[in-house]
Amino acid sequence: MLRNIIDITDLTVEEIDQLIATAEDILANPAKYQDACAHKQLATLFFEPSTRTRLSFESAMLALGGSVLGFSEAASSSTAKGETVGDTVHTVSCYADIIAMRHPKEGAPYAAAQFSEVPIINAGDGGHNHPTQTLTDLLTIHREKGRLDNFTIGFCGDLKFGRTVHSLVNALSRYENIRFVLISPAELKLPRYVKEEALKKRGIPYEQTESLEEVMPKLDILYMTRVQKERFFNEEDYLRLKDSYILTPEKLAEAKPDLSILHPLPRVNEISVAVDKDPRAAYWKQVKNGKFIRMALILKLLNIPTFS
Amino acid sequence: MLRNIIDITDLTVEEIDQLIATAEDILANPAKYQDACAHKQLATLFFEPSTRTRLSFESAMLALGGSVLGFSEAASSSTAKGETVGDTVHTVSCYADIIAMRHPKEGAPYAAAQFSEVPIINAGDGGHNHPTQTLTDLLTIHREKGRLDNFTIGFCGDLKFGRTVHSLVNALSRYENIRFVLISPAELKLPRYVKEEALKKRGIPYEQTESLEEVMPKLDILYMTRVQKERFFNEEDYLRLKDSYILTPEKLAEAKPDLSILHPLPRVNEISVAVDKDPRAAYWKQVKNGKFIRMALILKLLNIPTFS
Amino acid sequence: MLRNIIDITDLTVEEIDQLIATAEDILANPAKYQDACAHKQLATLFFEPSTRTRLSFESAMLALGGSVLGFSEAASSSTAKGETVGDTVHTVSCYADIIAMRHPKEGAPYAAAQFSEVPIINAGDGGHNHPTQTLTDLLTIHREKGRLDNFTIGFCGDLKFGRTVHSLVNALSRYENIRFVLISPAELKLPRYVKEEALKKRGIPYEQTESLEEVMPKLDILYMTRVQKERFFNEEDYLRLKDSYILTPEKLAEAKPDLSILHPLPRVNEISVAVDKDPRAAYWKQVKNGKFIRMALILKLLNIPTFS
């Protein structure tokens, strides 16, 4: 039963809940899982560099007792010799038991999966999907709040190009009684199609605002995003907007004492380093959670029994 | 007893047969070998990138329970600081138990081996040797045909620059009753010295032709090769010749039902993707075989007892 | 008890002696340590390439039964996306148990250590510190001479820019009765501040000379250094000076029979290859020692009990 994870919606709500339960169990009892993937190999095929994601996958597999091989940028791959991405992935699927693949082109992991003899995990494809980031976000919310329903979440910054936001909005729209607050400059609002698909069609309430400070008091979760230079069409727009929504200790004065601050990282300066020491900052815990949810996902795709 | 594998002729026919027997045993009983190289380290020193070959070696070592270190392109190596390749290899031989080395310069692995304290496997040196590809080809023929003698094999495409062809012709010339059919445009014929050394001197029959379709019905094995752009002197010749010998389902209509199609990969378009589904296509099995014959070779060079 | 090793002086003389004792024990009984770091992960974060040092760390961790992840050049790191080095290191410290970090900027590992949740080893920072090279040198002297005191050591070549020399002079100045002989062209003399700090303040005798041959007969240890092209301000000076202090079999004619020749490597041509066969050449043993002292250091920083 080969299963690929290309998009977060490839997983049902029940499967996500199961993955979160497994990740919680690994966090509680890491030793129980330390040889679970013995003699298994993960290949990380990164056609564009992403240290953070690649190392998270590799660390996850190693912590399961498995081993790792792969490449970290396209220059080292056979594609440079005229090979199709499908053939490269097919080849590696002859060696490894599971593949995590990142590619700058949208849809590349989906296309490549047709040629693979082993499960493929999409580790990010252009501005499109990045399902393990979304799983990381969900695990973090679950660990911080003890639940995945009944809260108010604010998304702040670049909501137009930030794929992690789109994906998390989509994923959360399947849970009960979540109120969405969308905080961005007019130029970087959540795209209409995301609002239509994820929110309007399901009758989920949401609010749009340009002011972070105004809505701060009502938030249970604040999801900050990086203003990614590479998504802008010109330097001028980037410079004008990038500092609009910087989170500082001052802005947090009016926030709830049990607010949880998330960020997919890397950050440039959208969260002041001074916030790192605030107990409400959850983004470094989020980094760690990313490793554990990936462990859970690898176990699931390799059909290795878990104990949760 | 240090032994390097620089050229396929460093191995006797008996040693090759033994390696094939070991590889077949690993394929049949992988669990028996999964800790055979525990506490051993393979270094992959790739002075030029080759994902396919590097990952095959790494996957092989990991599947034996060993571990892997190395680099995947010259830019990351000390050679950039003015060090000789000999000193780089000597250094790594102080850390690892065995080295697989690829280098763009012909003869570099042979020269480097003089400075190594551990066995060296040539993983390709320029247009020269690539003995583990040849071993892969031999294992594939053995698995497909059940023997390494008594068949008609056609080599098609670029027979002039394709080192894998030269090496396989050489290796097969040591077995009984093999008929060679050399299929190429006049510009890309098998070099005279290969024909002299491997075939004429031993009185082995061969046939040269420009037409793949004409000889197709008599072939037991068809070895296709990539027309490598980097081997051409000018763009025009490349464009004129590259499509001359493309294998399609139509051309296979006249082929034997038990033909085996091999290709060292990567391919550009010399085998149509539609052929992949033909049961006679053996080139993806060939990729897998490459891992297993490398496992056998690593075991041999590390003097680890096998059970075959 | 988190401990970082940024500078060799982060370690007391007693701690260095203990590390050397551990390394000697590992060399004598490697099997005793082969699973000591099972389930532990080392991250090698190399913001500039250094194959030799990176592979030494990786081989060390693998020989302890641990596993390895990381990157070998800055281009593959998130820093390219505007992330600070501190955030990159913090992130990786959420995955791995210990980090070896190399960076072209002086002080970067010290700064990064403030953000790490796990121990950091400085694997070289610009022209500044490289403590594991110094530990390697000390282990080599200890193995060659059986002691770390009471000898005459000559440092030859580029004493101005060679950080390994500065660091070793500093480290040795804490042991008894060592006589320093500083051999260099006037342009590349040991900097005044090193002489002040390490030697003059402690009343340690030293001698400066331009002639290697003149002082050769009195040396117990000769530490050769590479004339690093990248440290020179202009090509002309480099060409004039680089060959000044080349060690040849002829120059060794007047040396003691139990001289030990060290070199941090890589070398360009400052030691003739013909010297490699001289039993007094200790630099290839030094390469091996580098792996074993790093094993000892990893064990110490991970608080893993040793048997020495």
Side-chain angles (χ1 to χ4, degrees):
Chain A
M1 326 203 313
L2 179 67
R3 262 297 284 281
N4 307 305
I5 306 298
I6 304 301
D7 187 296
I8 189 68
T9 57
D10 290 343
L11 294 164
T12 65
V13 167
E14 290 67 36
E15 287 176 314
I16 288 176
D17 291 346
Q18 183 58 42
L19 284 172
I20 288 174
T22 302
E24 297 271 12
D25 193 52
I26 302 173
L27 274 152
N29 312 287
K32 233 167 59 180
Y33 293 88
Q34 69 191 12
D35 296 314
C37 287
H39 314 303
K40 298 287 184 187
Q41 301 181 10
L42 164 74
T44 49
L45 306 191
F46 276 56
F47 291 88
E48 73 175 354
S50 174
T51 311
R52 173 179 313 278
T53 304
R54 181 173 59 83
L55 295 186
S56 181
F57 271 109
E58 297 187 2
S59 186
M61 187 56 166
L62 295 170
L64 292 167
S67 53
V68 167
L69 67 170
F71 53 83
S72 57
E73 43 185 332
S76 305
S77 84
S78 294
T79 318
K81 295 182 188 163
E83 189 178 58
T84 65
V85 171
D87 270 10
T88 300
V89 168
H90 193 168
T91 298
V92 177
S93 78
C94 293
Y95 306 147
D97 300 290
I98 185 168
I99 291 174
M101 169 181 175
R102 189 181 190 100
H103 198 282
K105 215 169 128 188
E106 294 187 13
Y110 176 78
Q114 317 311 313
F115 299 93
S116 176
E117 303 190 12
V118 301
I120 298 268
I121 303 172
N122 180 0
D125 58 335
H128 209 51
N129 286 300
H130 191 9
T132 58
Q133 179 63 52
T134 307
L135 288 171
T136 300
D137 299 341
L138 292 171
L139 174 60
T140 304
I141 293 171
H142 191 266
R143 284 180 69 75
E144 296 301 306
K145 297 298 170 206
R147 62 186 190 278
L148 284 174
D149 46 29
N150 292 293
F151 53 73
T152 299
I153 182 167
F155 290 91
C156 178
D158 168 6
L159 309 189
K160 185 172 179 185
F161 299 102
R163 64 181 164 191
T164 60
V165 169
H166 307 176
S167 188
L168 184 55
V169 167
N170 252 307
L172 286 175
S173 72
R174 301 195 286 180
Y175 290 87
E176 293 298 310
N177 194 27
I178 297 179
R179 295 161 298 280
F180 292 86
V181 184
L182 308 172
I183 311 148
S184 77
E187 292 89 338
L188 294 177
K189 287 206 303 199
L190 195 69
R192 186 181 303 270
Y193 75 89
V194 180
K195 280 182 283 201
E196 281 294 339
E197 280 301 306
L199 304 176
K200 288 187 186 166
K201 255 170 66 175
R202 302 176 195 228
I204 295 169
Y206 68 92
E207 173 183 350
Q208 292 191 97
T209 174
E210 294 206 337
S211 167
L212 173 58
E213 283 165 286
E214 200 173 281
V215 296
M216 185 71 90
K218 70 171 88 164
L219 302 179
D220 299 305
I221 296 162
L222 170 57
Y223 194 98
M224 296 293 297
T225 63
R226 175 163 62 112
V227 178
Q228 292 177 267
K229 194 174 179 178
E230 60 266 40
R231 305 283 180 228
F232 276 83
F233 296 116
N234 64 69
E235 183 86 7
E236 198 183 310
D237 278 4
Y238 170 72
L239 291 173
R240 183 171 53 84
L241 292 171
K242 78 183 168 68
D243 295 344
S244 311
Y245 298 89
I246 294 181
L247 188 63
T248 57
E250 294 68 40
K251 286 189 187 132
L252 282 169
E254 300 299 310
K256 287 189 180 175
D258 67 344
L259 173 73
S260 297
I261 306 163
L262 276 68
H263 190 299
L265 303 184
R267 67 172 158 190
V268 180
N269 64 349
E270 60 275 18
I271 298 182
S272 149
V273 176
V275 174
D276 290 17
K277 294 194 182 73
D278 192 301
R280 292 169 289 190
Y283 36 93
W284 292 112
K285 288 184 270 180
Q286 198 177 355
V287 173
K288 279 180 206 161
N289 293 336
K291 172 175 169 175
F292 289 92
I293 199 73
R294 287 180 178 99
M295 291 170 77
L297 184 60
I298 290 168
L299 289 171
K300 177 181 174 58
L301 293 177
L302 290 176
N303 295 312
I304 292 171
T306 57
F307 309 93
S308 56
Chain B
M1 346 190 300
L2 179 67
R3 264 295 286 282
N4 307 306
I5 306 298
I6 305 301
D7 187 296
I8 190 68
T9 58
D10 291 344
L11 294 164
T12 64
V13 167
E14 290 68 34
E15 287 176 314
I16 288 176
D17 291 346
Q18 183 58 42
L19 285 172
I20 288 174
T22 302
E24 297 270 13
D25 192 53
I26 302 173
L27 275 152
N29 311 287
K32 232 167 61 178
Y33 293 87
Q34 70 191 12
D35 295 314
C37 286
H39 313 303
K40 298 287 183 186
Q41 300 181 9
L42 164 73
T44 48
L45 306 190
F46 276 56
F47 291 88
E48 74 174 355
S50 173
T51 311
R52 175 179 311 276
T53 304
R54 181 172 60 82
L55 295 185
S56 181
F57 271 109
E58 296 187 2
S59 186
M61 187 57 166
L62 295 170
L64 291 166
S67 53
V68 167
L69 67 171
F71 53 84
S72 57
E73 43 185 333
S76 305
S77 86
S78 294
T79 318
K81 294 181 186 164
E83 189 178 58
T84 64
V85 172
D87 271 10
T88 300
V89 169
H90 193 167
T91 297
V92 177
S93 78
C94 293
Y95 306 145
D97 300 290
I98 185 167
I99 292 173
M101 169 180 176
R102 189 182 189 101
H103 198 283
K105 217 169 125 187
E106 292 187 13
Y110 176 79
Q114 318 308 312
F115 298 93
S116 176
E117 303 189 14
V118 301
I120 299 268
I121 302 172
N122 181 359
D125 59 335
H128 209 52
N129 286 301
H130 190 9
T132 57
Q133 179 64 52
T134 307
L135 288 171
T136 300
D137 300 340
L138 292 170
L139 174 60
T140 304
I141 293 171
H142 190 267
R143 284 180 68 76
E144 297 299 307
K145 297 298 168 205
R147 64 186 188 277
L148 285 174
D149 46 28
N150 292 295
F151 53 72
T152 299
I153 181 167
F155 291 92
C156 178
D158 168 6
L159 309 189
K160 184 173 180 185
F161 298 102
R163 63 182 165 191
T164 59
V165 169
H166 307 175
S167 189
L168 184 55
V169 167
N170 253 307
L172 286 175
S173 72
R174 303 194 287 179
Y175 291 87
E176 292 297 310
N177 194 26
I178 296 179
R179 295 161 298 280
F180 293 84
V181 183
L182 309 173
I183 310 148
S184 77
E187 292 89 339
L188 294 176
K189 287 206 301 200
L190 195 68
R192 186 181 304 269
Y193 74 92
V194 180
K195 280 182 282 198
E196 281 294 339
E197 280 303 304
L199 303 177
K200 287 186 186 166
K201 256 170 66 175
R202 302 176 196 228
I204 295 169
Y206 68 91
E207 172 183 352
Q208 293 190 98
T209 174
E210 295 207 336
S211 167
L212 173 56
E213 282 165 288
E214 201 173 280
V215 295
M216 185 71 90
K218 69 171 88 162
L219 302 179
D220 299 304
I221 297 163
L222 170 59
Y223 194 98
M224 295 294 296
T225 63
R226 175 163 62 114
V227 178
Q228 292 179 269
K229 193 175 180 177
E230 59 266 40
R231 305 281 180 231
F232 276 83
F233 296 115
N234 65 68
E235 183 85 7
E236 197 182 312
D237 277 4
Y238 170 72
L239 291 173
R240 183 171 52 86
L241 294 171
K242 77 181 168 70
D243 295 344
S244 310
Y245 298 89
I246 295 180
L247 189 63
T248 58
E250 293 68 40
K251 286 189 187 132
L252 282 169
E254 300 299 309
K256 287 190 181 175
D258 67 344
L259 173 73
S260 298
I261 306 163
L262 276 68
H263 189 299
L265 303 185
R267 67 172 157 188
V268 181
N269 64 349
E270 60 275 17
I271 298 181
S272 150
V273 176
V275 174
D276 290 17
K277 294 195 182 73
D278 191 301
R280 292 168 290 188
Y283 36 93
W284 292 111
K285 289 185 270 180
Q286 197 178 355
V287 172
K288 280 181 205 161
N289 293 335
K291 171 175 171 177
F292 290 92
I293 198 74
R294 287 180 177 99
M295 291 171 77
L297 184 59
I298 290 169
L299 290 170
K300 175 181 175 58
L301 292 177
L302 290 176
N303 295 312
I304 291 171
T306 57
F307 310 94
S308 56
Chain C
M1 335 198 305
L2 178 66
R3 264 295 285 284
N4 306 306
I5 306 297
I6 305 301
D7 187 297
I8 189 69
T9 58
D10 290 344
L11 295 164
T12 64
V13 167
E14 291 68 34
E15 286 176 315
I16 289 175
D17 291 346
Q18 183 57 42
L19 284 172
I20 288 174
T22 302
E24 297 270 13
D25 192 53
I26 302 172
L27 275 151
N29 311 287
K32 234 167 59 180
Y33 293 88
Q34 69 192 13
D35 295 314
C37 287
H39 314 302
K40 298 287 183 186
Q41 299 181 10
L42 164 73
T44 49
L45 306 190
F46 277 55
F47 292 88
E48 72 175 354
S50 174
T51 311
R52 173 179 314 278
T53 304
R54 181 173 60 83
L55 295 186
S56 182
F57 271 109
E58 296 186 2
S59 186
M61 187 56 166
L62 295 171
L64 291 166
S67 53
V68 169
L69 66 172
F71 53 83
S72 58
E73 44 184 332
S76 305
S77 86
S78 294
T79 318
K81 294 182 188 164
E83 187 179 57
T84 65
V85 172
D87 271 10
T88 301
V89 169
H90 193 167
T91 298
V92 177
S93 78
C94 293
Y95 306 145
D97 300 290
I98 185 167
I99 292 173
M101 169 181 175
R102 188 181 190 102
H103 199 280
K105 215 169 129 189
E106 293 186 14
Y110 176 78
Q114 317 310 313
F115 298 93
S116 176
E117 302 189 13
V118 301
I120 298 268
I121 302 171
N122 181 359
D125 58 336
H128 209 50
N129 286 301
H130 191 9
T132 57
Q133 179 64 52
T134 307
L135 289 171
T136 300
D137 299 340
L138 292 171
L139 174 59
T140 304
I141 294 171
H142 190 267
R143 284 180 69 77
E144 296 300 307
K145 297 299 169 204
R147 62 186 191 276
L148 284 175
D149 47 28
N150 292 293
F151 54 72
T152 300
I153 181 168
F155 291 91
C156 178
D158 169 6
L159 309 189
K160 185 172 179 185
F161 298 101
R163 65 184 164 188
T164 59
V165 169
H166 306 175
S167 188
L168 184 56
V169 167
N170 252 309
L172 287 175
S173 72
R174 301 194 287 180
Y175 291 87
E176 293 297 311
N177 194 27
I178 296 179
R179 293 162 299 280
F180 292 85
V181 183
L182 309 172
I183 310 147
S184 77
E187 292 89 340
L188 293 177
K189 288 206 301 200
L190 195 69
R192 186 181 304 270
Y193 75 91
V194 180
K195 279 183 283 200
E196 281 294 340
E197 280 301 306
L199 304 177
K200 287 187 185 164
K201 255 171 67 176
R202 304 177 194 226
I204 295 169
Y206 69 91
E207 175 184 348
Q208 293 191 97
T209 175
E210 295 207 336
S211 167
L212 172 57
E213 282 165 288
E214 202 174 278
V215 297
M216 184 70 90
K218 69 171 90 163
L219 302 178
D220 299 305
I221 297 162
L222 171 58
Y223 194 98
M224 295 295 297
T225 63
R226 176 162 62 113
V227 178
Q228 293 178 267
K229 193 174 180 178
E230 59 267 40
R231 304 285 180 226
F232 276 83
F233 295 116
N234 65 67
E235 182 87 6
E236 198 183 311
D237 278 4
Y238 170 71
L239 291 174
R240 183 172 51 84
L241 293 170
K242 79 182 167 71
D243 295 343
S244 311
Y245 299 90
I246 294 181
L247 189 62
T248 56
E250 293 69 40
K251 285 189 187 132
L252 281 170
E254 299 300 308
K256 287 188 181 176
D258 67 343
L259 173 73
S260 297
I261 306 163
L262 276 69
H263 189 298
L265 302 185
R267 68 172 157 188
V268 181
N269 63 349
E270 61 276 17
I271 299 182
S272 149
V273 176
V275 174
D276 290 17
K277 293 196 181 73
D278 191 301
R280 292 169 290 190
Y283 37 92
W284 292 112
K285 289 184 270 181
Q286 197 178 354
V287 173
K288 280 180 204 160
N289 293 335
K291 172 175 170 175
F292 290 92
I293 199 74
R294 287 180 177 100
M295 291 170 77
L297 184 61
I298 290 168
L299 289 171
K300 176 181 174 58
L301 293 177
L302 289 177
N303 295 312
I304 291 171
T306 57
F307 310 93
S308 56

